[in-house]
Amino acid sequence: MATSSTGGAAAMALSHCSFNSRLIDFTSRNRNSRVFLLKMVNRPSFCVRCVSGEPMEKLRDPVADEGIYIYIYIICCISIEFFLFLFLFRVPPDAESIASSITYHAEFTPLFSSESFELPKAFFATAQSVRDELIINWNATYDLHKRMNVKQAYYLSMEFLQGRALLNAVGNLELTGEYAKALQKLGHTLENVASQEPDAALGNGGLGRLASCFLDSLATLNYPAWGYGLRYKHGLFKQIITKDGQEEVAENWLENGNPWEIVRNDVSYPVKFGGKVVTGSDGKMRWIGGEDIVAVAYDVPIPGYKTKTTINLRLWSTKVPSEQFDLHSFNAGEHTKACEAQANAEKICYILYPGDESEEGKILRLKQQYTLCSASLQDIISRFERRSGGNVRWEEFPEKVAVQMNDTHPTLCIPELMRILMDLKGMSWEEAWRITQRTVAYTNHTVLPEALEKWSYDIMQRLLPRHVEIIEMIDEQLVEDIISEYGTSNPEMLEKKLVSMRILENFELPASIADLFAKPEESPTDETDLEVEADDEVSHSDTTELEEEDTQKNKALSKEPAPIPPKMVRMANLCVVGGHAVNGVAEIHSEIVKKEVFNDFFQLWPEKFQNKTNGVTPRRWIDFCNHDLSAVITKWIGNRDWVLKTEKLAELRKFADNEDLQIEWRTAKRSNKIKVASFLKEKTGYSVNPDAMFDIQVKRIHEYKRQLLNILGIVYRYKKMKEMTAAEREAKFVPRVCIFGGKAFATYVQAKRIVKFITDVGATINHDSDIGDLLKVIFVPDYNVSVAELLIPASELSQHISTAGMEASGTSNMKFAMNGCVLIGTLDGANVEIREEVGEDNFFLFGAEAHEIAELRKERAAGKFVPDERFEEVKKFVKSGAFGPYNYDELMESLEGNEGFGLGDYFLVGKDFPVYIECQEKVDVAYRDQKRWTKMSILNTAGSYKFSSDRTIHEYAKDIWNIEPLEMI
């Protein structure tokens, strides 16, 4: 790789040179050699020297002019040890050398024309300059891990919601000030340059953002680890809000290139689909034929905070070899046919979560998941073999490798690792299974049945025939384990266990145990005799009735039999069986996982189950995105240690009543609110009052997250306002700006109706002159990490109001609490633990609890639910057309009835509505007392210390991965 870096790193080794030098590592495959780049900062002349030899004579630069920076390559053969010595004594860059580096990249690694230095060009040049700094640390980290041959964790996730990287990178490198000065010299501000970076469209929601926070913490804490994902060209989608609601267009984040990534053309692996399995002459299984593609690695550096450790996020892109381009067809005019193989390969990495209502969509999703698993495992195994040298001991694989599956998407890691170990490395089933189970672990992120993935057996058999064979063998072994544990004395109980726990759903039991459940056949002889005897006694008058009965029976028999349920592969069950650890992501969620979702497995293997409450990185989510509040915290705590040691945030508690702190706290909050008011005006056209309460709910649009409850509460508030005089409503209601953000999945009709409803309510209220600034409703389009970094610091009330027991954890609730936002919510997910830490008086609680939900749904189904009159009032108001001509009957009807698809208020909006609006009234009362509210805000930040991803990663490393930090001093 050819790069440059700032700083006078080689002062000792190159002291004979008469200019300030810059040292860069160009890692080659031969680890005994290095390439260095020396950059002249002051003089238009240069010298060449081999570090291990005598100095060469000074050469005159024949082309340099004053003000032009000349770069030369010096090839040196030195040991790793000496390179590390030079690395450790590298001098941090200053603003002048950074400005030189940016100028160089603007001229010599351009992606834009040379005429000007506008913001887009400035961003790319700045990012490339920062990447130079990261590459030095990146390569040194890789070398250290390889040399020490330590155990490494590999985090596999379908999503990594990185957000913008520039400010995070310079912040972690502690170069924010120097880069700001350098860009000022060049006529720009760091903030304006950073705003040119598009969010990396590699994720959608909390799953992906959690993965990115984890990578940040892994690097910061010096753990040897990598992330693996897919390089989506178009992300999920870019959300546009129109008069018709949400519309989706393709993401274009890669349109101008990505300055952070480095393509590794020498790191690629074959991935196969389809074909067939044959047995070779040696008795080994062979997977042959089918569709062959290639997964190519794109690497992104992930820097730690205040450490040289820089780990890797490896993303896979897909293609086919050039020889698969059908030149004959192309020249014959059959252009589509000629490009078919390439198109089929490339589309695997086009879209995150392609629509799966069609069979083609299902196949594409399965291809995505297998590509991630296969390419990543091939890479992991290749790295293990290289580090083992000529002495590969496969029994040590779990002692060097930990694979974490982030949700069920990477489940195919289990059969794929088995396939590689058995078919390619020649192991027995027992050896491969023992290694696999000790290597792989699974994080569960949901209790929703639709998210506990199931794949069609038929589709999987067509696409991955060898893996289906392996899964069948795993299932058969599981059945044997269950019978061994529970015996056969209670066939009914045993059958329930097998139905619940098997990986293969709707499959017949293996023949070896099917007889246990066979019911004795009834003898037809007696029944026939009885029928004859009865017929002998039938009178003529009864004949017609019996004939009618026979006719009905014949009709019933002639009907088509009930459809046979499809055969499915339950991926979550495979995760539990194939790994050594299963963890939930909040205390309440982990209990639900053990007692409900996987209760039978928990009874069988209780030692597998753990809790690992989620966390978020305090660097990005307080320090970098909320400078004003960060400065206040640092002042009152006395130093910046809290950025790494978040337990120090608890020290704020002793100052919570301090008037000076409260004034500074409110000033910081208002500064952020002014920024958001300007942003909302730019993005939506609506003006808002920064002195109003900022009430925010930003997350994926889903019925269980209950944005519908929030907007119905706002509708009720609006209706009550309209019924009052101006004086009455000003006395009754605190001014609020209610902000929504989040994407509804493109095929999720009900979620898209909710988006449309929110925007219609906003359009009505925001133009109502009677209401004015007393109430505003804003839907922020295309919510992403960058928008979150703006909204969260300005938030005062945040809504986390999911139906209890349905949110695994949540991480946005943690980010809001860290930024001094007071939460209103149910006892769901991490809300439970947040409330415990910040104090019950500093959290607005309402709603049914998780253990009550099942019974409440039964009561609803039995017709026992009596809706609150206020709930009926608000539904009637919506149906009256108060918010425009759109017909919201179907949306409102989902809250009515007692049961049935799309009916019965499954998410208990009606049940919790009255206590929700009563809780909102308490919010108004608390907000009027600004001293009380500010104290609540301070105590939320103070109590958020537990929810750092650093704490979470320490727990994963100790309890699941068994890895140790390895720090470069």
Side-chain angles (χ1 to χ4, degrees), residues 96-116:
E96 183 179 355
S97 61
I98 289 172
S100 300
S101 173
I102 294 171
T103 303
Y104 165 78
H105 281 294
E107 184 169 356
F108 292 105
T109 55
L111 292 169
F112 299 86
S113 61
S114 60
E115 283 83 2
S116 62

mmCIF file of all heavy atoms in Angstrom, residues 96-116:
data_model
loop_
_atom_site.group_PDB
_atom_site.id
_atom_site.type_symbol
_atom_site.label_atom_id
_atom_site.label_comp_id
_atom_site.label_asym_id
_atom_site.label_seq_id
_atom_site.Cartn_x
_atom_site.Cartn_y
_atom_site.Cartn_z
ATOM 1 N N GLU A 96 1.094 22.227 10.692
ATOM 2 C CA GLU A 96 1.806 22.527 9.454
ATOM 3 C C GLU A 96 2.009 21.272 8.612
ATOM 4 O O GLU A 96 1.769 21.273 7.395
ATOM 5 C CB GLU A 96 3.157 23.171 9.781
ATOM 6 C CG GLU A 96 3.939 23.588 8.531
ATOM 7 C CD GLU A 96 5.268 24.238 8.869
ATOM 8 O OE1 GLU A 96 5.538 24.450 10.065
ATOM 9 O OE2 GLU A 96 6.036 24.517 7.932
ATOM 10 N N SER A 97 2.474 20.207 9.249
ATOM 11 C CA SER A 97 2.699 18.977 8.489
ATOM 12 C C SER A 97 1.379 18.367 8.022
ATOM 13 O O SER A 97 1.312 17.760 6.952
ATOM 14 C CB SER A 97 3.488 17.971 9.324
ATOM 15 O OG SER A 97 2.778 17.623 10.494
ATOM 16 N N ILE A 98 0.318 18.519 8.819
ATOM 17 C CA ILE A 98 -1.000 18.032 8.399
ATOM 18 C C ILE A 98 -1.481 18.798 7.174
ATOM 19 O O ILE A 98 -1.988 18.207 6.205
ATOM 20 C CB ILE A 98 -2.007 18.141 9.555
ATOM 21 C CG1 ILE A 98 -1.698 17.103 10.637
ATOM 22 C CG2 ILE A 98 -3.439 17.948 9.046
ATOM 23 C CD1 ILE A 98 -2.509 17.259 11.896
ATOM 24 N N ALA A 99 -1.320 20.117 7.186
ATOM 25 C CA ALA A 99 -1.714 20.923 6.025
ATOM 26 C C ALA A 99 -0.934 20.498 4.790
ATOM 27 O O ALA A 99 -1.481 20.425 3.671
ATOM 28 C CB ALA A 99 -1.491 22.409 6.321
ATOM 29 N N SER A 100 0.357 20.171 4.968
ATOM 30 C CA SER A 100 1.163 19.688 3.843
ATOM 31 C C SER A 100 0.628 18.366 3.311
ATOM 32 O O SER A 100 0.557 18.142 2.103
ATOM 33 C CB SER A 100 2.621 19.514 4.293
ATOM 34 O OG SER A 100 3.161 20.729 4.742
ATOM 35 N N SER A 101 0.261 17.486 4.234
ATOM 36 C CA SER A 101 -0.266 16.186 3.838
ATOM 37 C C SER A 101 -1.574 16.334 3.067
ATOM 38 O O SER A 101 -1.786 15.680 2.038
ATOM 39 C CB SER A 101 -0.476 15.318 5.076
ATOM 40 O OG SER A 101 -1.125 14.118 4.745
ATOM 41 N N ILE A 102 -2.457 17.193 3.564
ATOM 42 C CA ILE A 102 -3.733 17.421 2.879
ATOM 43 C C ILE A 102 -3.494 17.999 1.491
ATOM 44 O O ILE A 102 -4.115 17.578 0.498
ATOM 45 C CB ILE A 102 -4.628 18.353 3.716
ATOM 46 C CG1 ILE A 102 -5.032 17.665 5.031
ATOM 47 C CG2 ILE A 102 -5.882 18.758 2.935
ATOM 48 C CD1 ILE A 102 -5.739 18.582 6.017
ATOM 49 N N THR A 103 -2.559 18.957 1.401
ATOM 50 C CA THR A 103 -2.243 19.569 0.105
ATOM 51 C C THR A 103 -1.697 18.527 -0.862
ATOM 52 O O THR A 103 -2.052 18.511 -2.046
ATOM 53 C CB THR A 103 -1.217 20.691 0.297
ATOM 54 O OG1 THR A 103 -1.740 21.647 1.212
ATOM 55 C CG2 THR A 103 -0.903 21.375 -1.023
ATOM 56 N N TYR A 104 -0.852 17.647 -0.344
ATOM 57 C CA TYR A 104 -0.319 16.592 -1.198
ATOM 58 C C TYR A 104 -1.442 15.720 -1.762
ATOM 59 O O TYR A 104 -1.480 15.448 -2.968
ATOM 60 C CB TYR A 104 0.665 15.730 -0.412
ATOM 61 C CG TYR A 104 0.967 14.433 -1.117
ATOM 62 C CD1 TYR A 104 1.841 14.382 -2.202
ATOM 63 C CD2 TYR A 104 0.335 13.243 -0.738
ATOM 64 C CE1 TYR A 104 2.092 13.209 -2.878
ATOM 65 C CE2 TYR A 104 0.585 12.058 -1.402
ATOM 66 C CZ TYR A 104 1.461 12.047 -2.473
ATOM 67 O OH TYR A 104 1.702 10.880 -3.153
ATOM 68 N N HIS A 105 -2.333 15.266 -0.899
ATOM 69 C CA HIS A 105 -3.396 14.380 -1.371
ATOM 70 C C HIS A 105 -4.335 15.099 -2.335
ATOM 71 O O HIS A 105 -4.867 14.477 -3.265
ATOM 72 C CB HIS A 105 -4.171 13.815 -0.180
ATOM 73 C CG HIS A 105 -3.465 12.688 0.505
ATOM 74 N ND1 HIS A 105 -3.238 11.478 -0.100
ATOM 75 C CD2 HIS A 105 -2.908 12.586 1.742
ATOM 76 C CE1 HIS A 105 -2.589 10.674 0.729
ATOM 77 N NE2 HIS A 105 -2.379 11.324 1.855
ATOM 78 N N ALA A 106 -4.535 16.376 -2.115
ATOM 79 C CA ALA A 106 -5.385 17.130 -3.040
ATOM 80 C C ALA A 106 -4.786 17.164 -4.434
ATOM 81 O O ALA A 106 -5.504 17.203 -5.436
ATOM 82 C CB ALA A 106 -5.583 18.552 -2.514
ATOM 83 N N GLU A 107 -3.436 17.092 -4.487
ATOM 84 C CA GLU A 107 -2.777 17.195 -5.785
ATOM 85 C C GLU A 107 -2.439 15.847 -6.401
ATOM 86 O O GLU A 107 -2.590 15.643 -7.594
ATOM 87 C CB GLU A 107 -1.505 18.036 -5.646
ATOM 88 C CG GLU A 107 -0.798 18.282 -6.977
ATOM 89 C CD GLU A 107 0.296 19.330 -6.868
ATOM 90 O OE1 GLU A 107 0.443 19.913 -5.783
ATOM 91 O OE2 GLU A 107 0.997 19.543 -7.872
ATOM 92 N N PHE A 108 -2.005 14.906 -5.563
ATOM 93 C CA PHE A 108 -1.442 13.682 -6.110
ATOM 94 C C PHE A 108 -2.311 12.435 -5.945
ATOM 95 O O PHE A 108 -2.038 11.411 -6.567
ATOM 96 C CB PHE A 108 -0.059 13.422 -5.499
ATOM 97 C CG PHE A 108 0.964 14.423 -5.933
ATOM 98 C CD1 PHE A 108 1.387 15.413 -5.083
ATOM 99 C CD2 PHE A 108 1.484 14.388 -7.225
ATOM 100 C CE1 PHE A 108 2.320 16.351 -5.479
ATOM 101 C CE2 PHE A 108 2.419 15.317 -7.639
ATOM 102 C CZ PHE A 108 2.850 16.313 -6.770
ATOM 103 N N THR A 109 -3.338 12.468 -5.096
ATOM 104 C CA THR A 109 -4.290 11.362 -5.052
ATOM 105 C C THR A 109 -5.698 11.918 -5.213
ATOM 106 O O THR A 109 -6.565 11.703 -4.369
ATOM 107 C CB THR A 109 -4.175 10.568 -3.737
ATOM 108 O OG1 THR A 109 -4.335 11.464 -2.642
ATOM 109 C CG2 THR A 109 -2.868 9.858 -3.636
ATOM 110 N N PRO A 110 -5.909 12.658 -6.284
ATOM 111 C CA PRO A 110 -7.184 13.384 -6.408
ATOM 112 C C PRO A 110 -8.300 12.501 -6.935
ATOM 113 O O PRO A 110 -8.080 11.554 -7.674
ATOM 114 C CB PRO A 110 -6.856 14.480 -7.413
ATOM 115 C CG PRO A 110 -5.821 13.854 -8.301
ATOM 116 C CD PRO A 110 -5.011 12.949 -7.407
ATOM 117 N N LEU A 111 -9.517 12.852 -6.514
ATOM 118 C CA LEU A 111 -10.726 12.293 -7.108
ATOM 119 C C LEU A 111 -11.551 13.402 -7.747
ATOM 120 O O LEU A 111 -12.649 13.158 -8.229
ATOM 121 C CB LEU A 111 -11.551 11.579 -6.033
ATOM 122 C CG LEU A 111 -10.923 10.310 -5.464
ATOM 123 C CD1 LEU A 111 -11.680 9.848 -4.228
ATOM 124 C CD2 LEU A 111 -10.897 9.208 -6.506
ATOM 125 N N PHE A 112 -10.982 14.604 -7.716
ATOM 126 C CA PHE A 112 -11.660 15.777 -8.268
ATOM 127 C C PHE A 112 -10.673 16.530 -9.145
ATOM 128 O O PHE A 112 -9.466 16.329 -9.079
ATOM 129 C CB PHE A 112 -12.175 16.682 -7.137
ATOM 130 C CG PHE A 112 -13.173 16.018 -6.237
ATOM 131 C CD1 PHE A 112 -12.761 15.263 -5.153
ATOM 132 C CD2 PHE A 112 -14.534 16.138 -6.477
ATOM 133 C CE1 PHE A 112 -13.667 14.642 -4.318
ATOM 134 C CE2 PHE A 112 -15.450 15.515 -5.650
ATOM 135 C CZ PHE A 112 -15.022 14.770 -4.568
ATOM 136 N N SER A 113 -11.199 17.450 -9.950
ATOM 137 C CA SER A 113 -10.339 18.222 -10.847
ATOM 138 C C SER A 113 -9.428 19.138 -10.038
ATOM 139 O O SER A 113 -9.679 19.431 -8.868
ATOM 140 C CB SER A 113 -11.191 19.050 -11.810
ATOM 141 O OG SER A 113 -12.005 19.960 -11.090
ATOM 142 N N SER A 114 -8.369 19.616 -10.667
ATOM 143 C CA SER A 114 -7.334 20.369 -9.971
ATOM 144 C C SER A 114 -7.604 21.867 -9.892
ATOM 145 O O SER A 114 -6.838 22.591 -9.267
ATOM 146 C CB SER A 114 -5.992 20.142 -10.682
ATOM 147 O OG SER A 114 -6.071 20.593 -12.027
ATOM 148 N N GLU A 115 -8.702 22.331 -10.490
ATOM 149 C CA GLU A 115 -8.916 23.773 -10.583
ATOM 150 C C GLU A 115 -9.136 24.449 -9.233
ATOM 151 O O GLU A 115 -8.779 25.595 -9.040
ATOM 152 C CB GLU A 115 -10.119 24.089 -11.488
ATOM 153 C CG GLU A 115 -9.831 23.966 -12.983
ATOM 154 C CD GLU A 115 -9.942 22.529 -13.465
ATOM 155 O OE1 GLU A 115 -10.285 21.656 -12.641
ATOM 156 O OE2 GLU A 115 -9.670 22.286 -14.655
ATOM 157 N N SER A 116 -9.764 23.742 -8.296
ATOM 158 C CA SER A 116 -10.135 24.399 -7.048
ATOM 159 C C SER A 116 -9.989 23.437 -5.881
ATOM 160 O O SER A 116 -9.729 22.249 -6.059
ATOM 161 C CB SER A 116 -11.579 24.909 -7.127
ATOM 162 O OG SER A 116 -12.468 23.813 -7.309
#
